[in-house]
Amino acid sequence: MGHSIEKSAKTVELAVKLALQELDVSKEDVEIDILNEGNKGLLGLIGNRDAKIRVTIIETKGEKARNFLFDIFDKMNVEAEINIEEDENSIYLTINGDDIGIVIGRRGETLDALQYLTSLVVNKQEDMYKRVSVDIENYRQKREDTLIKLANRLADKVKRYRKSITLEPMNPYERRIIHSTLQENRSVRTYSHGDEPNRKVVITLK
């Protein structure tokens, strides 16, 4: 749940109206807890007690993800802007800012860890699973383009020298890019060997 406030008024309806005005949201965007229904007191005069409610803004999964990342960045003393694109099945978070290379880490390892943790937080105790993607200044697309070029260049080398090549250790996402790029190649095939996190792709002649 997100930001919440408590509000008192003569009636529950009036308290809700005042709370919605203060939060600047509609009734569909909040959860309302009635803390005290209030009463009119004796003869409507003596012992009057106001109604009291708590109104909480309902966070979307995307907002929950963004707030989680903001908390982490705050602890890392990193200033960043986080944009959300959210649909029925997925959440895409794009991070921009100065000096945020630390958030990417070596070969994107820190970024992958952040993505994994964000997915855990977002999908915790929720019925509907949403895929979470976290990217920093288009790092993943740039990395994918680099790996595609690398795969094709090394495939040509294997074909020319007729000798297998073993790439550096990669995570499953990056290995999948290499395999996919060379899947239709008529001259070479690819396979992986080794254990995580040192599992490597091998490019060899067919």
Side-chain angles (χ1 to χ4, degrees):
M1 286 296 173
H3 178 61
S4 66
I5 62 169
E6 293 184 3
K7 189 66 71 175
S8 298
K10 296 290 183 187
T11 64
V12 169
E13 291 76 17
L14 181 56
V16 169
K17 183 180 179 181
L18 293 172
L20 293 177
Q21 286 176 349
E22 183 173 325
L23 292 169
D24 194 24
V25 294
S26 63
K27 200 170 183 178
E28 294 74 30
D29 298 325
V30 300
E31 187 173 279
I32 299 167
D33 295 313
I34 299 173
L35 305 177
N36 193 326
E37 291 188 359
N39 61 45
K40 290 184 179 179
L42 184 61
L43 302 176
L45 296 170
I46 304 168
N48 280 3
R49 189 169 58 184
D50 283 353
K52 188 176 183 180
I53 61 163
R54 181 188 297 115
V55 175
T56 305
I57 296 175
I58 300 170
E59 282 183 318
T60 67
K61 286 193 170 190
E63 288 165 347
K64 188 184 290 186
R66 181 168 61 184
N67 289 336
F68 171 70
L69 288 173
F70 271 139
D71 285 343
I72 289 180
F73 294 161
D74 186 52
K75 290 179 175 63
M76 295 172 70
N77 292 319
V78 170
E79 290 188 13
E81 176 187 320
I82 304 175
N83 297 312
I84 308 173
E85 288 183 32
E86 186 171 3
D87 58 33
E88 192 175 336
N89 301 309
S90 305
I91 300 166
Y92 303 92
L93 298 121
T94 307
I95 302 163
N96 295 290
D98 297 328
D99 303 321
I100 54 173
I102 187 176
V103 182
I104 297 174
R106 183 170 172 264
R107 294 203 309 267
E109 288 172 352
T110 306
L111 182 58
D112 289 338
L114 275 179
Q115 179 172 286
Y116 175 69
L117 290 173
T118 305
S119 180
L120 288 182
V121 168
V122 165
N123 292 299
K124 183 181 179 184
Q125 298 175 339
E126 295 281 355
D127 296 333
M128 184 179 169
Y129 178 86
K130 278 198 174 187
R131 179 178 171 271
V132 175
S133 174
V134 180
D135 199 3
I136 293 180
E137 295 186 335
N138 212 23
Y139 168 81
R140 293 194 187 282
Q141 186 60 56
K142 291 174 186 173
R143 178 67 172 158
E144 182 174 339
D145 292 343
T146 298
L147 290 174
I148 289 170
K149 290 175 184 175
L150 175 68
N152 287 320
R153 189 170 73 246
L154 293 181
D156 288 341
K157 203 169 181 181
V158 168
K159 182 180 175 183
R160 189 181 310 123
Y161 296 109
R162 308 189 66 79
K163 190 174 180 182
S164 299
I165 293 177
T166 302
L167 282 72
E168 65 177 8
M170 292 179 183
N171 62 41
Y173 165 76
E174 294 186 331
R175 294 198 305 271
R176 198 155 48 241
I177 292 170
I178 302 293
H179 293 312
S180 176
T181 300
L182 299 178
Q183 190 172 9
E184 304 300 325
N185 192 295
R186 294 180 180 179
S187 303
V188 303
R189 65 181 179 88
T190 62
Y191 65 92
S192 296
H193 81 94
D195 299 319
E196 301 288 5
N198 295 311
R199 196 161 169 78
K200 303 173 183 178
V201 174
V202 178
I203 304 173
T204 187
L205 285 171
K206 277 188 175 177

